Amino acid sequence: MTGRQADRRMTPRIRARSASTAALIVLAAMVPVAVATAAPQQVDTALPYVCAFPSGPQQATVRVSAVLPDRVRPREAIRPTQVTTTVELPAAAVAALGLPKGGEVNAATRLAVAVAQNRAGAEATWRGTAQPVPVPESGPLTLTSTGDVPSVTAQSTGDLTLSAGDLAVDLAVTASSTGSATPSTDPAAGGRTPATVQCALGKDAPGQGLLATVPVGSVTSGPGSSPPASPTGTDSGTPSASSSASGRPQPHPGDPQSERAPKITGTAPGATTDRRDAPPCRYDEHHPATSKSLNAYVTGYSNVRKQKAASLLPLSCSLIEQGDLNFGAAPDGRPVLTQHSDGQFFYQDEARTPPFKATLLTFGFVPATATMVLEQTGPLTIDSFGYMDTFPLALDTYVRVPLVLHITSLTVNGTRLDVGPSCRTRTPLRSADPEPAKFPGDHLVLHGRGEMGTGQDAEGYLVSSGGPLTGSADIPAFTGCGTGGEDLDPLLTASVSGPDNYIKQIQGQTCGQAAPNYDSECTKDLQPLKIPVPAR
């Protein structure tokens, strides 16, 4: 999301000249780089942590798994994939949190990962979101989060290491599995996460939290090839100054190449410029652009909890009218930044998504394929809030939109069923809103958080640069389905409708219409250049 400065969209060039708090929300896209093509190595490490709770410190076990290349060349990107962070909080810690029995826990993790090579280093944040899990009646609480993480590019030769550091676990709790939220903090405080558990690596952690070592040098030609012969080390077994622990040649300590810090490249999920499946996303005479207009693509997945499956949400166009930045004070006097923007889905001159198909096993064994459309039936609002006296700077964004699910065709076990022209959910998809008094009515709520430290690219979600938005929604009962006296409402309601369907949307980099950046944001006809790739 960007603010207005002299009625023009602030660009990455302006951001580079300004170190103000407002820079948090005017970042350019974090462009992912190619994944290294070397053979993979599997990482699976269990580490002891100590977490701070109101009743005192508690031990916790954290397991980190990922897939990394086993070696790369200098300036070749290392992008960890299949990253999973599993946190097991002991029973005493669960009791200390006072979680309501019968409730559900939504969680997100932020793991600091130290990246080091030779005598240089940097730090990345590995983020993940977890599926909602019930509060246990007794015993430990296990939270398993997954997510896209930054890529790392080594600037010179020598072993590059990744080590786990501090861990933050953001928790939000609903009172019951029906999705009725009862946050433990005042939602007027900007929709902040109700509780954050801070954890530090235990002193007895093996290898000081070492997760992986990736040699950087010449990549051998085949997966079974042997590494190059290493120079001779000292008699004590310590490698000489010109070799690494793995025996690879190293720059001498005084060589400037040995001091170049690894480059961390943003946390935005993968993107492409392949437009073959992208619907048009441009302003026209019926929807004219203003000085504050942006457009972006979104896509993702939604769980269908009853079917224990996920449906791919189609690549869709979103038109956004950015709001002004507002600087003020919270009730406690802390300086805050807020911004309100509006938007709409846009497909063939209508506020809806393109049609999309999903195939599920109805009742666990009968294959059913449905063609669906999500129709926007009210305003799409984007509200952001951030405290300006925190470090790293953080901005929470809530996207709210009423969406009715239409089914336009249905095939069950190979037989086409005529659903008619009016088959839809009775009401819009429904999420628990953190501010129900301010935002009444049925609507979907998605949340994203962006953070930025001094001299670093932003991590997480910002409207201007995109990123992941997550939430959970109830799918209402269906109505109007069937023709000729055949009522298909009960079939669809029984097989699809229900609470707590997890959603993860990926928004791409926006294209600003007033001051377009054709190099990294916009095509020549002012459509978004970057096409986001859905992530689970």
Side-chain angles (χ1 to χ4, degrees):
M1 182 180 306
T2 60
R4 187 179 65 181
Q5 185 177 36
D7 292 325
R8 296 193 307 142
R9 178 173 180 264
M10 290 190 284
T11 67
R13 292 181 292 274
I14 294 174
R15 183 203 69 209
R17 296 194 298 265
S18 172
S20 69
T21 302
L24 173 63
I25 59 173
V26 295
L27 296 171
M30 296 166 283
V31 181
V33 288
V35 177
T37 57
Q41 61 168 306
Q42 302 286 333
V43 175
D44 191 355
T45 305
L47 297 168
Y49 272 78
V50 178
C51 300
F53 292 91
S55 60
Q58 297 280 352
Q59 300 287 331
T61 299
V62 176
R63 180 175 290 275
V64 181
S65 62
V67 175
L68 294 155
D70 70 344
R71 67 187 69 239
V72 296
R73 299 179 180 89
R75 292 175 294 282
E76 184 175 17
I78 302 167
R79 187 175 185 104
T81 60
Q82 302 179 35
V83 178
T84 300
T85 303
T86 302
V87 182
E88 183 178 297
L89 300 177
V94 178
L97 286 171
L99 303 179
K101 296 296 187 288
E104 282 193 335
V105 180
N106 292 269
T109 58
R110 291 173 282 139
L111 177 66
V113 175
V115 182
Q117 186 187 39
N118 305 322
R119 295 194 301 180
E123 185 173 278
T125 300
W126 286 11
R127 296 173 178 275
T129 54
Q131 293 275 10
V133 296
V135 177
E137 292 293 332
S138 61
L141 171 65
T142 301
L143 305 166
T144 301
S145 70
T146 59
D148 299 281
V149 304
S151 61
V152 179
T153 304
Q155 303 298 302
S156 56
T157 58
D159 285 354
L160 183 144
T161 62
L162 297 99
S163 302
D166 292 344
L167 172 69
V169 184
D170 298 322
L171 301 172
V173 185
T174 57
S176 68
S177 60
T178 62
S180 175
T182 55
S184 59
T185 62
D186 182 3
R192 292 183 298 155
T193 305
T196 297
V197 177
Q198 301 288 350
C199 305
L201 189 67
K203 295 180 179 179
D204 56 345
Q208 295 182 324
L210 179 67
L211 298 175
T213 299
V214 180
V216 181
S218 299
V219 177
T220 53
S221 59
S225 303
S226 301
S230 61
T232 303
T234 64
D235 291 341
S236 65
T238 303
S240 64
S242 60
S243 68
S244 71
S246 63
R248 280 177 167 67
Q250 295 280 302
H252 290 284
D255 189 335
Q257 283 279 7
S258 69
E259 308 301 324
R260 297 180 63 188
K263 181 181 179 182
I264 309 296
T265 307
T267 58
T272 178
T273 56
D274 186 347
R275 312 187 68 81
R276 285 176 293 180
D277 298 324
C281 188
R282 63 170 67 91
Y283 291 85
D284 55 29
E285 64 274 14
H286 302 295
H287 298 80
T290 71
S291 62
K292 299 188 291 184
S293 294
L294 315 173
N295 51 358
Y297 284 111
V298 293
T299 185
Y301 287 96
S302 173
N303 282 357
V304 181
R305 186 170 182 175
K306 278 189 175 179
Q307 302 298 329
K308 299 180 180 179
S311 172
L312 176 66
L313 299 175
L315 187 67
S316 302
C317 172
S318 178
L319 306 181
I320 301 169
E321 287 298 306
Q322 60 184 334
D324 293 332
L325 293 174
N326 295 296
F327 299 90
D332 61 1
R334 295 176 65 188
V336 296
L337 179 150
T338 61
Q339 188 174 42
H340 172 86
S341 300
D342 298 289
Q344 73 167 78
F345 284 103
F346 183 69
Y347 180 71
Q348 296 182 347
D349 287 332
E350 296 182 2
R352 64 184 181 95
T353 69
F356 59 102
K357 288 186 177 181
T359 299
L360 306 170
L361 290 177
T362 308
F363 305 116
F365 64 93
V366 181
T369 300
T371 301
M372 297 173 283
V373 169
L374 286 168
E375 177 195 9
Q376 181 181 332
T377 59
L380 186 160
T381 61
I382 306 167
D383 289 282
S384 300
F385 178 101
Y387 285 102
M388 298 168 61
D389 58 352
T390 59
F391 184 86
L393 302 175
L395 193 73
D396 283 292
T397 299
Y398 285 87
V399 178
R400 296 173 169 91
V401 57
L403 295 172
V404 169
L405 177 63
H406 292 257
I407 296 182
T408 60
S409 68
L410 177 66
T411 300
V412 178
N413 203 24
T415 300
R416 184 179 180 276
L417 302 181
D418 190 353
V419 296
S422 304
C423 181
R424 62 178 180 83
T425 53
R426 289 183 181 273
T427 59
L429 305 184
R430 181 173 56 251
S431 298
D433 197 298
E435 299 183 81
K438 185 176 179 181
F439 299 97
D442 294 334
H443 53 270
L444 175 68
V445 180
L446 297 177
H447 171 257
R449 165 171 277 210
E451 289 187 357
M452 186 184 72
T454 303
Q456 299 177 357
D457 285 338
E459 296 179 346
Y461 175 82
L462 299 173
V463 173
S464 61
S465 57
L469 289 159
T470 60
S472 180
D474 298 353
I475 301 176
F478 283 83
T479 185
C481 304
T483 60
E486 184 177 24
D487 185 5
L488 299 178
D489 294 347
L491 170 66
L492 292 169
T493 298
S495 57
V496 177
S497 301
D500 304 321
N501 297 279
Y502 178 75
I503 298 171
K504 184 174 183 179
Q505 283 272 275
I506 306 298
Q507 181 203 300
Q509 167 72 47
T510 59
C511 168
Q513 303 295 294
N517 185 333
Y518 296 112
D519 294 329
S520 60
E521 298 180 5
C522 304
T523 62
K524 294 301 181 182
D525 58 351
L526 295 179
Q527 296 191 78
L529 178 65
K530 299 299 181 181
I531 312 297
V533 175
R536 297 180 186 269

